[in-house]
Amino acid sequence: MTQQLKNVMLSSVELFCAVAEHKSFTQAAKIAGLTPAAVSRSIARLEQRLNTQLFVRSTRQVRLTHAGEIYFQQCQQGLTQIIEAEQLLRNQSQQLNGRIRISLPTPYGHYRVLPLIPIFKQTYPNIQIDLQLTNKNVDFIAEGFDLAIRGRYFKDSNLIVRTLEHAELVVVAAASYIDSHTRPTDIAALDQHECLQFILPSTGKSVPWLFKVNNQIHEYTTKGSLHCLDDILGTVTLAKHGAGLLQTYRFIVAQDIQNRQFVELLHPFAGASRPFSLVYPSQKYASAHIRTFIDFLITHLKTDVL
């Protein structure tokens, strides 16, 4: 079907219909914002592909051949159906409404999901979206949430979990920190550095750092006197101002590494990642507006996962 659509030359068909309707290459060119010569070349390519003459041209008029008349009738019907199909979908988008409550982890929300919300709202303006940015697990029933995205989540047979991506981790530090400290060359050297800590709300403990050694993932408990208790992006701000080393997601600091605001460290031990998953109760997929939003997130966020 895809190859057939490529062969149809849909733009040339639209120009053909415009010329046939107005009996003028010049008028069709004005409507399409093209030159008459461009329209003529497009029709010529169409005739060549069909191996059929569609128009009889003279200095005074343009008229369809018998084959052109048959082709025009069929093309008009086809284009009308396409227009009606698009109008139907637009009407459905306008009519779809409802409220969606979604809980997002701070970094994934800011860097992955929030930039997509305006795109979704352009298509579905009547759907209300309540966004909560937190690193705490939510109780879907007690707190009234429809969806959540989480980097970690307990197993629950009543929940559907759809992995969106395995986000790569990277160790970074500000250039100002590196200038005044010895650059670590192995994992054990982290003990000699201030390693910025994020306290996981669900456990009250520091999140261990992950490294890939001999194709195996290893956890390493780092030490530091600076702890962020709720907002993980606080550790990024601290690191930017030279407070210490930080392990975070590459998607957060990729631009800063490129701009040399951050220096990437311990590259030989890189390659570890953590998953982010879309989580929701199974019955939520039955609601059309929620199902539409789930499908939208899956389409725009899901990458090949391990």
Side-chain angles (χ1 to χ4, degrees):
M1 177 61 74
T2 302
Q3 188 59 48
Q4 289 176 341
L5 288 175
K6 288 180 180 178
N7 292 337
V8 163
M9 299 171 63
L10 192 57
S11 60
S12 294
V13 170
E14 289 184 288
L15 289 175
F16 161 74
C17 288
V19 174
E21 182 178 353
H22 296 281
K23 298 180 175 59
S24 168
F25 279 78
T26 301
Q27 186 62 28
K30 289 181 180 179
I31 294 171
L34 300 171
T35 64
V39 174
S40 181
R41 288 194 297 270
S42 180
I43 298 301
R45 288 194 296 269
L46 185 61
E47 289 179 323
Q48 183 179 12
R49 188 182 72 81
L50 296 172
N51 195 27
T52 302
Q53 184 177 353
L54 299 174
F55 292 103
V56 176
R57 304 163 177 82
S58 69
T59 55
R60 293 187 176 183
Q61 65 176 354
V62 175
R63 63 180 178 86
L64 289 165
T65 63
H66 178 66
E69 290 178 353
I70 296 174
Y71 190 60
F72 178 47
Q73 292 175 3
Q74 296 296 319
C75 289
Q76 269 191 317
Q77 292 178 14
L79 291 175
T80 299
Q81 289 178 337
I82 292 173
I83 293 170
E84 290 175 350
E86 291 185 350
Q87 185 62 49
L88 177 62
L89 290 179
R90 281 196 294 268
N91 290 340
Q92 288 179 343
S93 298
Q94 293 290 330
Q95 293 169 5
L96 201 59
N97 59 72
R99 183 185 182 192
I100 301 171
R101 296 197 73 210
I102 180 170
S103 178
L104 307 167
T106 310
Y108 204 80
H110 279 289
Y111 286 88
R112 287 289 202 252
V113 179
L114 295 188
L116 296 175
I117 298 302
I119 300 173
F120 181 82
K121 289 291 288 180
Q122 285 177 2
T123 306
Y124 304 99
N126 295 325
I127 294 180
Q128 177 182 330
I129 304 175
D130 296 347
L131 300 156
Q132 181 203 55
L133 274 76
T134 179
N135 296 296
K136 298 179 180 178
N137 290 334
V138 298
D139 186 321
F140 284 94
I141 297 176
E143 300 179 63
F145 282 95
D146 302 301
L147 309 168
I149 292 178
R150 284 291 168 259
R152 301 171 181 83
Y153 213 89
F154 56 87
K155 292 183 179 180
D156 187 330
S157 60
N158 296 318
L159 297 175
I160 294 176
V161 179
R162 303 180 68 174
T163 303
L164 297 171
E165 68 173 290
H166 286 269
E168 183 186 359
L169 294 163
V170 59
V171 176
V172 295
S176 59
Y177 181 90
I178 295 300
D179 289 343
S180 58
H181 295 79
T182 303
R183 183 189 294 250
T185 57
D186 56 48
I187 298 172
L190 293 174
D191 293 342
Q192 309 304 317
H193 288 270
E194 177 74 49
C195 295
L196 302 174
Q197 305 293 309
F198 175 66
I199 306 301
L200 193 64
S202 61
T203 65
K205 298 179 180 180
S206 297
V207 176
W209 291 17
L210 300 182
F211 296 98
K212 196 171 188 178
V213 182
N214 297 325
N215 291 321
Q216 298 292 322
I217 302 300
H218 294 267
E219 289 189 357
Y220 193 82
T221 301
T222 58
K223 302 173 183 178
S225 60
L226 291 171
H227 301 76
C228 284
L229 305 180
D230 189 34
D231 186 355
I232 194 172
L233 292 179
T235 60
V236 180
T237 301
L238 286 169
K240 282 184 179 180
H241 289 82
L245 306 184
L246 172 66
Q247 185 176 74
T248 189
Y249 299 107
R250 183 176 292 277
F251 66 73
I252 294 177
V253 296
Q255 191 65 45
D256 293 316
I257 293 173
Q258 184 176 345
N259 295 338
R260 298 184 180 180
Q261 187 169 4
F262 273 137
V263 177
E264 184 175 351
L265 304 169
L266 298 176
H267 190 269
F269 307 100
S273 64
R274 287 195 177 99
F276 281 94
S277 300
L278 180 63
V279 184
Y280 54 92
S282 58
Q283 70 272 19
K284 291 297 183 179
Y285 198 71
S287 301
H289 66 293
I290 295 177
R291 183 173 65 249
T292 298
F293 189 59
I294 289 173
D295 293 343
F296 172 85
L297 291 178
I298 294 293
T299 297
H300 286 78
L301 293 173
K302 190 174 180 64
T303 59
D304 294 334
V305 295
L306 300 177

